[in-house]
Amino acid sequence: PCELVKENTLNFEEQLKQINICGLGPLRMNNALIQSKALAEGCKLVTITSQAGSVEWRSTQNAGKGGDYGHHMSRAACNMGQVLLSEEVKDMGYPVLLLHPGFNKTEMTKKYEAIWEIEGAVDPSVGAKRVLYEVIKNGMEETGAFINCEDGLRIPW
């Protein structure tokens, strides 16, 4: 359910869980990879994130309604963490890529099934190929960039 201040439906415990998993999880994983000293030369640190973390797009996509605080805040935290990481490990030669896979037809998006075709949702196999394409194409020049795998363009912060 969409959490709203006006309806007093905020669930702070759930929001903290979302921030812990979605915001800090990718940082924990990348930290563990770097600390393991097992990363191959030329590897890339890739985080699958979401356009839900774009503050600018919230004023468009959530205009006049707000809501879903935990989801959007956790994704913004994820994106911030990965951008900071990209600056920290740049001298180690590891590009950090933030990729929004696009709108995929999954169990997670099934609640939007009525608009899948209207909004251009794709099968997960297509979404995965889009992600793989961006991983292969992008490197140090794009480190810290927030890329939309649907079109390869940068998503505004």
Side-chain angles (χ1 to χ4, degrees):
C2 181
E3 295 180 291
L4 296 169
V5 170
K6 289 180 182 177
E7 296 176 8
N8 195 26
T9 55
L10 298 181
N11 182 337
F12 295 108
E13 187 175 321
E14 189 64 24
Q15 290 170 7
L16 286 171
K17 190 184 330 177
Q18 288 175 307
I19 291 167
N20 188 32
I21 293 167
C22 299
L24 293 170
L27 184 59
R28 280 190 196 95
M29 288 301 301
N30 282 326
N31 178 60
L33 289 167
I34 291 167
Q35 297 309 316
S36 75
K37 302 198 184 325
L39 293 172
E41 186 175 328
C43 75
K44 300 173 184 182
L45 300 173
V46 178
T47 298
I48 305 301
T49 183
S50 172
Q51 55 84 12
S54 169
V55 175
E56 185 173 329
W57 282 9
R58 297 295 53 82
S59 342
T60 303
Q61 294 176 347
N62 296 76
K65 57 186 176 185
D68 284 334
Y69 291 92
H71 177 61
H72 296 299
M73 292 167 63
S74 72
R75 289 309 183 164
C78 169
N79 296 345
M80 177 62 77
Q82 296 310 293
V83 168
L84 291 169
L85 179 65
S86 76
E87 292 300 323
E88 182 180 353
V89 302
K90 197 180 286 187
D91 65 350
M92 297 172 78
Y94 302 137
V96 177
L97 304 174
L98 295 87
L99 303 179
H100 166 61
F103 194 16
N104 288 263
K105 297 175 183 176
T106 64
E107 284 301 312
M108 188 175 83
T109 65
K110 194 157 182 67
K111 64 183 175 184
Y112 303 113
E113 188 174 18
I115 63 165
W116 274 351
E117 300 309 318
I118 297 165
E119 295 293 327
V122 298
D123 288 326
S125 63
V126 173
K129 288 175 189 166
R130 289 175 173 175
V131 167
L132 186 56
Y133 175 79
E134 295 300 331
V135 170
I136 292 167
K137 180 178 111 173
N138 292 295
M140 283 307 290
E141 287 185 22
E142 294 79 23
T143 192
F146 188 11
I147 300 168
N148 187 344
C149 293
E150 291 175 320
D151 56 18
L153 299 176
R154 289 187 181 205
I155 295 175
W157 298 112

